[in-house]
Amino acid sequence: MALRVINIVPGTSADGPGLRTSIYFAGCDHRCPGCHNPASWPFDAGEEKTVDDLMKVIRYNRFHVTFSGGDPMYQAAELLPLAKAITEMDLKIWCYTGFHYEQIRDKSPYKELLEYIDVLVDGPYVEALKPVGPALRFRGSSNQRFIRPATGEELVFE
């Protein structure tokens, strides 16, 4: 099963704590005004990658992984095998989505994918809530939350 991928960035520290391999998936209907990555909105953007293609990069770098985009939740069913393989390597997964946790927590295939996600950064980017001063840590706008999907607990990263 192929995934539509815009970019893979190993060794980034912008998308979660520590060095991470960030995978930017194609497709997003949220179309947030001011989005930093509008090139990721088309569902046919980027190129097809298999789970094996992605796991080669992840195995080589052995960094924790971040799913970003676009919005990875539009490929939730296709992401399940990748998330499972990452978890089996004892690596942590962060996932950014424009959906609110409450919208997806009980719906398939999202809820199955959330079982493998350690931290969900939820909510659309809201340009009016972007900080004027120092950047928010690991978020684009202040409405976005860090959620531990296993418990629904909201987390804080300062």
Side-chain angles (χ1 to χ4, degrees):
M1 188 176 303
L3 295 148
R4 294 299 302 190
V5 175
I6 299 287
N7 198 11
I8 304 168
V9 181
T12 182
S13 59
D15 297 326
L19 292 178
R20 313 184 70 77
T21 296
S22 286
I23 306 171
Y24 297 86
F25 294 95
C28 186
D29 274 342
H30 304 295
R31 300 181 181 266
C32 304
C35 172
H36 80 284
N37 201 5
S40 68
W41 294 353
F43 288 88
D44 61 352
E47 60 184 345
E48 288 191 349
K49 297 279 187 184
T50 66
V51 169
D52 286 341
D53 294 334
L54 297 171
M55 285 306 297
K56 284 178 188 170
V57 175
I58 293 165
R59 275 190 213 98
Y60 178 80
N61 291 292
R62 298 205 54 83
F63 298 136
H64 296 298
V65 178
T66 297
F67 297 160
S68 193
D71 190 329
M73 288 299 167
Y74 286 107
Q75 297 186 63
E78 294 83 358
L79 275 167
L80 279 168
L82 177 62
K84 183 178 181 188
I86 292 167
T87 301
E88 288 172 352
M89 288 183 62
D90 290 325
L91 296 175
K92 304 293 183 196
I93 302 173
W94 275 41
C95 181
Y96 285 80
T97 182
F99 292 104
H100 290 105
Y101 170 70
E102 294 79 8
Q103 292 176 283
I104 60 175
R105 69 178 170 205
D106 297 322
K107 296 179 185 171
S108 291
Y110 313 113
K111 70 177 184 175
E112 291 84 4
L113 180 58
L114 289 173
E115 292 176 19
Y116 296 99
I117 304 298
D118 297 285
V119 175
L120 182 74
V121 184
D122 82 334
Y125 170 74
V126 178
E127 195 167 22
L129 298 177
K130 179 181 177 181
V132 176
L136 294 168
R137 189 153 189 215
F138 309 130
R139 303 180 285 170
S141 57
S142 62
N143 62 297
Q144 295 171 318
R145 302 175 297 172
F146 302 104
I147 305 287
R148 184 180 314 282
T151 62
E153 169 191 12
E154 191 167 340
L155 306 170
V156 176
F157 289 89
E158 297 294 336

PDB file of all heavy atoms in Angstrom, residues 113-126:
ATOM      1  N   LEU A 113      -5.201   4.391  14.337  1.00  0.00           N
ATOM      2  CA  LEU A 113      -3.898   5.039  14.190  1.00  0.00           C
ATOM      3  C   LEU A 113      -3.484   5.715  15.493  1.00  0.00           C
ATOM      4  O   LEU A 113      -2.318   5.658  15.888  1.00  0.00           O
ATOM      5  CB  LEU A 113      -3.920   6.060  13.045  1.00  0.00           C
ATOM      6  CG  LEU A 113      -2.610   6.803  12.786  1.00  0.00           C
ATOM      7  CD1 LEU A 113      -1.469   5.835  12.473  1.00  0.00           C
ATOM      8  CD2 LEU A 113      -2.792   7.815  11.662  1.00  0.00           C
ATOM      9  N   LEU A 114      -4.430   6.333  16.182  1.00  0.00           N
ATOM     10  CA  LEU A 114      -4.115   7.017  17.446  1.00  0.00           C
ATOM     11  C   LEU A 114      -3.523   6.081  18.492  1.00  0.00           C
ATOM     12  O   LEU A 114      -2.791   6.530  19.377  1.00  0.00           O
ATOM     13  CB  LEU A 114      -5.358   7.704  18.000  1.00  0.00           C
ATOM     14  CG  LEU A 114      -5.833   8.939  17.235  1.00  0.00           C
ATOM     15  CD1 LEU A 114      -7.174   9.422  17.778  1.00  0.00           C
ATOM     16  CD2 LEU A 114      -4.798  10.046  17.261  1.00  0.00           C
ATOM     17  N   GLU A 115      -3.790   4.789  18.391  1.00  0.00           N
ATOM     18  CA  GLU A 115      -3.212   3.817  19.325  1.00  0.00           C
ATOM     19  C   GLU A 115      -1.687   3.780  19.238  1.00  0.00           C
ATOM     20  O   GLU A 115      -1.017   3.373  20.176  1.00  0.00           O
ATOM     21  CB  GLU A 115      -3.783   2.426  19.069  1.00  0.00           C
ATOM     22  CG  GLU A 115      -5.250   2.304  19.415  1.00  0.00           C
ATOM     23  CD  GLU A 115      -5.833   0.941  19.062  1.00  0.00           C
ATOM     24  OE1 GLU A 115      -5.047  -0.025  18.886  1.00  0.00           O
ATOM     25  OE2 GLU A 115      -7.066   0.857  18.969  1.00  0.00           O
ATOM     26  N   TYR A 116      -1.127   4.208  18.107  1.00  0.00           N
ATOM     27  CA  TYR A 116       0.321   4.190  17.900  1.00  0.00           C
ATOM     28  C   TYR A 116       0.960   5.569  18.079  1.00  0.00           C
ATOM     29  O   TYR A 116       2.184   5.686  18.065  1.00  0.00           O
ATOM     30  CB  TYR A 116       0.644   3.672  16.500  1.00  0.00           C
ATOM     31  CG  TYR A 116       0.214   2.245  16.293  1.00  0.00           C
ATOM     32  CD1 TYR A 116      -0.979   1.945  15.634  1.00  0.00           C
ATOM     33  CD2 TYR A 116       0.978   1.195  16.777  1.00  0.00           C
ATOM     34  CE1 TYR A 116      -1.391   0.629  15.453  1.00  0.00           C
ATOM     35  CE2 TYR A 116       0.579  -0.122  16.601  1.00  0.00           C
ATOM     36  CZ  TYR A 116      -0.605  -0.392  15.941  1.00  0.00           C
ATOM     37  OH  TYR A 116      -1.005  -1.691  15.761  1.00  0.00           O
ATOM     38  N   ILE A 117       0.146   6.598  18.225  1.00  0.00           N
ATOM     39  CA  ILE A 117       0.647   7.967  18.328  1.00  0.00           C
ATOM     40  C   ILE A 117       0.911   8.307  19.790  1.00  0.00           C
ATOM     41  O   ILE A 117       0.043   8.142  20.635  1.00  0.00           O
ATOM     42  CB  ILE A 117      -0.376   8.969  17.733  1.00  0.00           C
ATOM     43  CG1 ILE A 117      -0.742   8.625  16.284  1.00  0.00           C
ATOM     44  CG2 ILE A 117       0.122  10.407  17.863  1.00  0.00           C
ATOM     45  CD1 ILE A 117       0.387   8.675  15.314  1.00  0.00           C
ATOM     46  N   ASP A 118       2.117   8.787  20.076  1.00  0.00           N
ATOM     47  CA  ASP A 118       2.472   9.171  21.444  1.00  0.00           C
ATOM     48  C   ASP A 118       2.004  10.583  21.771  1.00  0.00           C
ATOM     49  O   ASP A 118       1.551  10.838  22.885  1.00  0.00           O
ATOM     50  CB  ASP A 118       3.990   9.046  21.642  1.00  0.00           C
ATOM     51  CG  ASP A 118       4.433   7.610  21.487  1.00  0.00           C
ATOM     52  OD1 ASP A 118       4.193   6.819  22.413  1.00  0.00           O
ATOM     53  OD2 ASP A 118       4.998   7.267  20.430  1.00  0.00           O
ATOM     54  N   VAL A 119       2.134  11.489  20.815  1.00  0.00           N
ATOM     55  CA  VAL A 119       1.665  12.861  21.003  1.00  0.00           C
ATOM     56  C   VAL A 119       0.988  13.315  19.719  1.00  0.00           C
ATOM     57  O   VAL A 119       1.567  13.234  18.638  1.00  0.00           O
ATOM     58  CB  VAL A 119       2.818  13.830  21.364  1.00  0.00           C
ATOM     59  CG1 VAL A 119       2.322  15.273  21.439  1.00  0.00           C
ATOM     60  CG2 VAL A 119       3.474  13.420  22.673  1.00  0.00           C
ATOM     61  N   LEU A 120      -0.243  13.801  19.876  1.00  0.00           N
ATOM     62  CA  LEU A 120      -1.005  14.373  18.773  1.00  0.00           C
ATOM     63  C   LEU A 120      -1.023  15.883  18.978  1.00  0.00           C
ATOM     64  O   LEU A 120      -1.409  16.363  20.050  1.00  0.00           O
ATOM     65  CB  LEU A 120      -2.437  13.830  18.777  1.00  0.00           C
ATOM     66  CG  LEU A 120      -3.334  14.316  17.651  1.00  0.00           C
ATOM     67  CD1 LEU A 120      -2.944  13.626  16.342  1.00  0.00           C
ATOM     68  CD2 LEU A 120      -4.799  14.049  17.973  1.00  0.00           C
ATOM     69  N   VAL A 121      -0.572  16.616  17.971  1.00  0.00           N
ATOM     70  CA  VAL A 121      -0.680  18.074  17.994  1.00  0.00           C
ATOM     71  C   VAL A 121      -1.908  18.383  17.154  1.00  0.00           C
ATOM     72  O   VAL A 121      -1.904  18.173  15.948  1.00  0.00           O
ATOM     73  CB  VAL A 121       0.585  18.758  17.438  1.00  0.00           C
ATOM     74  CG1 VAL A 121       0.475  20.272  17.564  1.00  0.00           C
ATOM     75  CG2 VAL A 121       1.839  18.245  18.145  1.00  0.00           C
ATOM     76  N   ASP A 122      -2.980  18.825  17.814  1.00  0.00           N
ATOM     77  CA  ASP A 122      -4.263  18.928  17.121  1.00  0.00           C
ATOM     78  C   ASP A 122      -4.700  20.366  16.903  1.00  0.00           C
ATOM     79  O   ASP A 122      -4.189  21.285  17.533  1.00  0.00           O
ATOM     80  CB  ASP A 122      -5.346  18.151  17.877  1.00  0.00           C
ATOM     81  CG  ASP A 122      -5.961  18.903  19.048  1.00  0.00           C
ATOM     82  OD1 ASP A 122      -5.294  19.792  19.623  1.00  0.00           O
ATOM     83  OD2 ASP A 122      -7.105  18.588  19.391  1.00  0.00           O
ATOM     84  N   GLY A 123      -5.640  20.522  15.997  1.00  0.00           N
ATOM     85  CA  GLY A 123      -6.263  21.806  15.731  1.00  0.00           C
ATOM     86  C   GLY A 123      -5.683  22.484  14.507  1.00  0.00           C
ATOM     87  O   GLY A 123      -4.511  22.328  14.185  1.00  0.00           O
ATOM     88  N   PRO A 124      -6.527  23.249  13.817  1.00  0.00           N
ATOM     89  CA  PRO A 124      -6.055  23.956  12.635  1.00  0.00           C
ATOM     90  C   PRO A 124      -5.089  25.075  13.011  1.00  0.00           C
ATOM     91  O   PRO A 124      -5.124  25.594  14.134  1.00  0.00           O
ATOM     92  CB  PRO A 124      -7.345  24.531  12.033  1.00  0.00           C
ATOM     93  CG  PRO A 124      -8.258  24.674  13.203  1.00  0.00           C
ATOM     94  CD  PRO A 124      -7.929  23.519  14.124  1.00  0.00           C
ATOM     95  N   TYR A 125      -4.245  25.436  12.070  1.00  0.00           N
ATOM     96  CA  TYR A 125      -3.402  26.613  12.245  1.00  0.00           C
ATOM     97  C   TYR A 125      -4.298  27.840  12.113  1.00  0.00           C
ATOM     98  O   TYR A 125      -5.083  27.962  11.173  1.00  0.00           O
ATOM     99  CB  TYR A 125      -2.297  26.639  11.184  1.00  0.00           C
ATOM    100  CG  TYR A 125      -1.537  27.929  11.157  1.00  0.00           C
ATOM    101  CD1 TYR A 125      -0.621  28.234  12.153  1.00  0.00           C
ATOM    102  CD2 TYR A 125      -1.739  28.857  10.141  1.00  0.00           C
ATOM    103  CE1 TYR A 125       0.086  29.428  12.147  1.00  0.00           C
ATOM    104  CE2 TYR A 125      -1.037  30.057  10.126  1.00  0.00           C
ATOM    105  CZ  TYR A 125      -0.134  30.340  11.116  1.00  0.00           C
ATOM    106  OH  TYR A 125       0.556  31.516  11.112  1.00  0.00           O
ATOM    107  N   VAL A 126      -4.203  28.746  13.075  1.00  0.00           N
ATOM    108  CA  VAL A 126      -4.972  29.993  13.049  1.00  0.00           C
ATOM    109  C   VAL A 126      -3.965  31.140  13.044  1.00  0.00           C
ATOM    110  O   VAL A 126      -3.301  31.409  14.052  1.00  0.00           O
ATOM    111  CB  VAL A 126      -5.932  30.098  14.255  1.00  0.00           C
ATOM    112  CG1 VAL A 126      -6.682  31.432  14.221  1.00  0.00           C
ATOM    113  CG2 VAL A 126      -6.908  28.927  14.268  1.00  0.00           C
TER     114      VAL A 126
END
